[in-house]
Amino acid sequence: MLDLLVINARLHNKKELMQIACKEGKILGVSPQIDAKTLQTQTLQTIDAEGYFVTPPFVDSHLHLDGTLSLGLPHLNQSGTLLEGIKIWGELKPTLTHETIKARAKKLLHWSIAKGNLVIRSHVDTSDPCLMAVDVLLELRHEMKEFIDLQLVAFPQNGVLRSTTGMATLTSSLDKGVDVVGGIPHFERTMADGQTSVRLLCELAEQRGLMVDMHCDESDDPHSRHIEALTFETQRLGLQGRVAGSHLTSMHSMDNYYVSKLLPLMAEAKMNCICNPLVNMSIQGRHDTYPKRRGLMRVPELLDARINVSLGHDDVMDPWYPMGTHDMLEVAHMGAHALHMTGIDQQAALFDAITVNGAKTLNLENYGLEPGCNADMVILQASSKQEAIRLRPARLFVIRRGKIISRMEKAKATVTIGAEDVTVDFCP
Ligand code: FE2
């Protein structure tokens, strides 16, 4: 018996509308006409996609679920800087409870599902000696696993060397089941300590067979070059393809000659880069007068160097960022503007950065719309990758393992001009 048959589905790489047959949580076949023998079996549910665009689910490669939806607690970030955000987070942490972290994170996951984000890599602050947020997010990862894949990164917000207990609590969080080793080298006391932290954390990941994802060079300082050390350690320890540099905003201000040496080394190490356009457009360059730097990594150049780049939302209504609905299409939309990536192929590349490239960063298996992949997909009220970014449209159906887990009404407006009603869908 088929769980689900999606008909009239528009896929990015096919001219004809397709049928997608799903069985036991997997995609059984993708074809203009699923063969009669398969269709003879009973189908539990059929969805007519009406020619709309069907995509694998969105992947948020970088989020902070432990602080999400805490905006204004205990007060707002007046300067808009990363450092004031860290200070407010430090004030908020002692007041947090298991219940409040969990309720906010769970609410955010409901938003995520409605927006079609079924895979999230979330950092979790491991500085707290009792690791309360770690316990909450591990619990949530388990409770929500039927609906969403949550990958957790041990994030030492206070630095593993700057804080005397940093390395111990991070290691304890890995013992509890956190998936990925994090870091924050630019926040350590010196450049040398930052470099040492990169070495120690990569060695820890290598010993435990884990991936690495560091907050790296989230700074406007062009001399913040911890990505160089991260690239070197990746190569030295044989971690190619399993390491990610998140933020990398100092790359925006680095000397061009230095970057021309750096990018081939990053390509050789199969470094994954995670850019967070919404948040870094907001918090970088705050110490500048005019002209103000925008502080994003060099995404077009990274892609030209065949380096995998994915995008993250980073924050949603917390001490660092007051906005957001956890819409990855909004992230790509900001990226198109802020990264000068408005070309048609560049827009498609940004769509890939919130889908397939994210899956590569997270080392996901069975992701995609091919036979044998997990039957996870989103039907968008749009006709293409580019239109999806332009409209940030309704996610009509969100499907997880062959079951509908979220529906949204089609968006349209009726404009009344005199006696005439005109339907507007914002499509030319
Ligand atoms: Fe972050």
Side-chain angles (χ1 to χ4, degrees):
M1 183 167 68
L2 289 181
D3 306 328
L4 178 71
L5 181 67
V6 180
I7 60 171
N8 297 316
R10 189 174 301 282
L11 304 186
H12 81 96
N13 55 353
K14 299 281 191 314
K15 279 203 170 111
E16 294 169 87
L17 296 181
M18 305 299 278
Q19 298 187 341
I20 306 170
C22 308
K23 187 178 180 180
E24 291 166 3
K26 299 278 184 196
I27 294 176
L28 188 65
V30 181
S31 154
Q33 180 65 57
I34 298 289
D35 66 90
K37 192 167 156 240
T38 304
L39 289 180
Q40 267 166 15
T41 61
Q42 200 190 342
T43 300
L44 214 56
Q45 193 161 29
T46 300
I47 299 175
D48 185 352
E50 300 178 47
Y52 285 125
F53 187 52
V54 181
T55 174
F58 298 119
V59 178
D60 184 353
S61 301
H62 188 113
L63 183 69
H64 294 262
L65 261 178
D66 48 1
T68 197
L69 307 188
S70 63
L71 181 67
L73 299 174
H75 54 87
L76 293 168
N77 183 337
Q78 298 299 339
S79 67
T81 59
L82 173 72
L83 295 179
E84 186 175 343
I86 293 174
K87 186 167 169 287
I88 294 170
W89 177 235
E91 293 168 37
L92 174 61
K93 272 196 284 189
T95 70
L96 293 172
T97 65
H98 191 104
E99 290 70 32
T100 53
I101 300 173
K102 191 168 180 180
R104 289 183 198 124
K106 196 166 183 179
K107 183 171 214 174
L108 195 277
L109 293 185
H110 294 163
W111 296 11
S112 314
I113 291 167
K115 292 289 186 184
N117 311 332
L118 300 188
V119 186
I120 297 173
R121 175 180 274 185
S122 173
H123 294 252
V124 51
D125 188 353
T126 57
S127 304
D128 160 27
C130 44
L131 294 173
M132 184 168 59
V134 169
D135 289 336
V136 172
L137 294 192
L138 285 169
E139 210 173 281
L140 212 49
R141 184 182 71 180
H142 178 71
E143 284 174 24
M144 295 293 285
K145 69 177 181 192
E146 207 178 311
F147 309 98
I148 195 161
D149 292 312
L150 206 50
Q151 202 177 75
L152 299 177
V153 185
F155 173 49
Q157 176 74 77
N158 298 346
V160 283
L161 300 177
R162 186 166 171 167
S163 149
T164 49
T165 55
M167 191 56 99
T169 50
L170 181 140
T171 308
S172 301
S173 77
L174 299 177
D175 292 339
K176 281 173 176 274
V178 170
D179 308 280
V180 181
V181 177
I184 186 165
H186 57 275
F187 195 68
E188 302 292 356
R189 290 178 193 277
T190 64
M191 291 289 185
D193 272 4
Q195 193 167 341
T196 304
S197 77
V198 170
R199 179 173 60 76
L200 294 173
L201 291 163
C202 285
E203 286 173 354
L204 182 63
E206 194 267 336
Q207 285 155 15
R208 293 182 172 234
L210 298 176
M211 290 184 279
V212 175
D213 184 344
M214 292 199 191
H215 280 65
C216 194
D217 304 325
E218 192 177 8
S219 159
D220 295 326
D221 175 4
H223 301 291
S224 185
R225 295 175 171 185
H226 297 294
I227 182 59
E228 182 185 277
L230 188 61
T231 302
F232 174 76
E233 295 300 340
T234 301
Q235 189 83 355
R236 180 176 77 85
L237 296 164
L239 295 170
Q240 291 90 338
R242 299 176 57 76
V243 176
S246 278
H247 295 291
L248 303 180
T249 59
S250 74
M251 190 186 288
H252 187 89
S253 302
M254 282 174 183
D255 175 70
N256 289 334
Y257 188 87
Y258 175 73
V259 175
S260 74
K261 180 192 171 197
L262 176 66
L263 296 192
L265 293 171
M266 291 171 69
E268 200 180 16
K270 296 188 169 52
M271 182 63 63
N272 297 292
C273 299
I274 302 169
C275 180
N276 300 295
L278 288 175
V279 172
N280 287 129
M281 277 299 284
S282 167
I283 63 179
Q284 301 311 130
R286 291 276 183 166
H287 299 266
D288 291 358
T289 55
Y290 286 93
K292 291 177 188 289
R293 285 168 294 173
R294 306 324 311 258
L296 297 183
M297 66 176 74
R298 303 185 186 197
V299 174
E301 291 77 8
L302 287 162
L303 291 173
D304 284 348
R306 309 192 80 76
I307 296 167
N308 186 48
V309 179
S310 56
L311 303 182
H313 203 296
D314 199 7
D315 299 288
V316 185
M317 300 186 74
D318 68 8
W320 293 274
Y321 188 63
M323 300 182 197
T325 56
H326 204 212
D327 186 349
M328 291 308 294
L329 285 169
E330 200 175 308
V331 176
H333 187 265
M334 174 58 80
H337 295 78
L339 295 160
H340 284 171
M341 289 182 68
T342 47
I344 295 300
D345 291 345
Q346 290 177 313
Q347 290 180 46
L350 287 167
F351 192 92
D352 292 347
I354 55 172
T355 51
V356 287
N357 297 7
K360 190 173 176 192
T361 302
L362 271 64
N363 279 243
L364 296 183
E365 290 175 354
N366 305 320
Y367 176 90
L369 293 182
E370 308 294 329
C373 291
N374 290 330
D376 300 346
M377 65 198 88
V378 182
I379 304 177
L380 298 167
Q381 191 189 355
S383 62
S384 64
K385 295 179 180 182
Q386 291 84 356
E387 194 168 83
I389 293 175
R390 181 176 70 85
L391 294 174
R392 285 146 285 145
R395 273 114 268 210
L396 301 172
F397 294 94
V398 179
I399 294 156
R400 168 86 169 173
R401 307 294 193 261
K403 290 187 187 133
I404 298 168
I405 60 166
S406 177
R407 299 165 191 260
M408 201 181 281
E409 295 297 317
K410 278 186 204 166
K412 64 169 187 176
T414 304
V415 176
T416 303
I417 307 290
E420 190 189 5
D421 280 347
V422 181
T423 301
V424 173
D425 63 2
F426 303 99
C427 291

